[in-house]
Amino acid sequence: MNARTDVAIVGAGPAGLLLSHLLHLNGVESVVLESRSREYVESRVRAGVLEHPTAELLREVGLGERMDREGLVHAGISLRFDGADHRIGFDELLGKTITVYGQQEVVKDLVAARLRDGGQVEFEVADTAVHDIGDDAPWVSYVDAQGEGRRLDCAVVAGCDGFHGVTRGAVPSARLRVFDRRYPFAWLGILAKARPLHEELVYARHARGFALCSMRSPQITRLYLQVGADETVEQWPDDRVWEELTARLAVDGRGTVNVGDVLDKGVTAMRSFVAVPLRHGRLFLAGDAAHIVPPTGAKGMNLAIADVSLLARALTALLRTGRADLADSYSDTALRRVWRAEHFSWFMTSMLHSTGDEFDEQLALSQLRYIAGSTAAATSLAENYVGLPFA
Ligand code: FAS
Ligand code: PHB
């Protein structure tokens, strides 16, 4: 069966769903194709921090009501090293805040908005493939949830299918330049029914390795541990996780971690990756389909949102008025923010994780002590962490 839309969006993560919502607000039709179930995408535990511009955008486009009711507004973070906490006050330094609101909550709000507005989001599709992206009549083939082969004709394909999706692979490798950096460690993340150890996020550099204490509510804490790049969840039973978190997050030898039931546990690889350019004919890549960052800077989801905020404006101009300049400049404009986030994520990762290299350790401690003692250095970290204004 054939169908037609303005924009075929592959992927119903934050990028694909927000792009569909923004296009709808501009009177541009789209269809979102998602390989997983609605329940799965709405329950996937991933990012937790919304940058200041992200929260502002979600409010502007009618998606801020539950975020403002349930999200936690934070005016700073703490860097824990040398046995003490060093607060970076976003409020004092910049007059800005971040919002702690799980990615799965953002996705739930986006799915609800799309379905409320009559948007087409097809879950549990299979065998998605993009075709003829080099001319002005691209199309997408897929098998729908009922097992029927489908063809979706469109004017534009948006590749929002994440790092392991198919759309980036539709670009001839000769036309794609890839920048890739792997790290010799990973993050083990747990979601636990326990009070967070602090009312704001705590990033700890410790000789035993990095640890991060975040949260989802005053009763639900989200914690991360640096582990070996090839370690698995099976090697980290709950009691070992709690023991290590207590050791790495202790201050003056006092254990500060509250223990509770572990609700979710997983290992996330650490990688910096950018595929350039983000546009190939009528295919536009956005979010993790185009780039990934180590989560230390809390940039992943925010970068995806920044990409589609730009892409929605470019595709609206192209498809509603024929104006092509924003679409032509999308890749260069988006990449300026991407590389700023790539650098900040690498910077935070290098400063806070132990590699066993003693020279690196002295550099990292020197950088941390400089930030703790310099308003200029703290302000630089703060403005990158809360998010630079959208282009
Ligand atoms: P997503 O990966 O979220 O969404 C892509 C969607 O496309 C998925 O729903 C997928 O099922 C679908 N898809 C894939 N292939 C398809 C196909 N062939 N056909 C149809 N659909 C297809 N970021 C942070 O800032 N902080 C964190 O702590 C953090 N933790 C993370 C933990 C993990 C395990 C992972 C993988 C990522 C984490 N990230 C984190 C980054 C993450 O939040 C991403 O930046 C964010 O999900 C990007 O959103 P999208 O670009 O929409 O991609
Ligand atoms: C989270 O709450 O999941 C989180 C917060 C900050 C990060 C990464 C993850 O840098």
Side-chain angles (χ1 to χ4, degrees), residues 13 32 99 106 109 136 148 150 162 186 190 223 225 236 258 268 321 329 361 374 376:
V32 182
T99 303
V106 175
D109 295 343
D136 58 2
E148 290 294 316
R150 306 292 296 270
I190 65 169
L223 293 148
L225 275 177
W236 285 89
N258 301 308
T268 300
T321 67
S329 61
E361 181 177 13
S374 157

Side-chain angles (χ1 to χ4, degrees), residues 4-73:
R4 176 169 183 78
T5 189
D6 292 333
V7 182
I9 300 172
V10 184
L17 289 166
L18 182 59
L19 177 61
S20 182
H21 178 71
L22 296 175
L23 290 172
H24 163 71
L25 295 180
N26 295 342
V28 177
E29 271 190 19
S30 64
V31 173
V32 182
L33 302 175
E34 167 56 51
S35 53
R36 308 301 291 254
S37 69
R38 176 177 178 181
E39 294 67 34
Y40 181 87
V41 299
E42 289 187 345
S43 60
R44 208 167 26 189
V45 180
R46 279 187 170 171
V49 169
L50 302 184
E51 290 178 345
H52 190 271
T54 296
E56 294 279 285
L57 172 68
L58 293 176
R59 287 188 193 98
E60 279 163 26
V61 298
L63 292 166
E65 192 267 330
R66 192 164 74 96
M67 174 189 72
D68 285 333
R69 195 172 67 246
E70 298 178 14
L72 305 173
V73 177

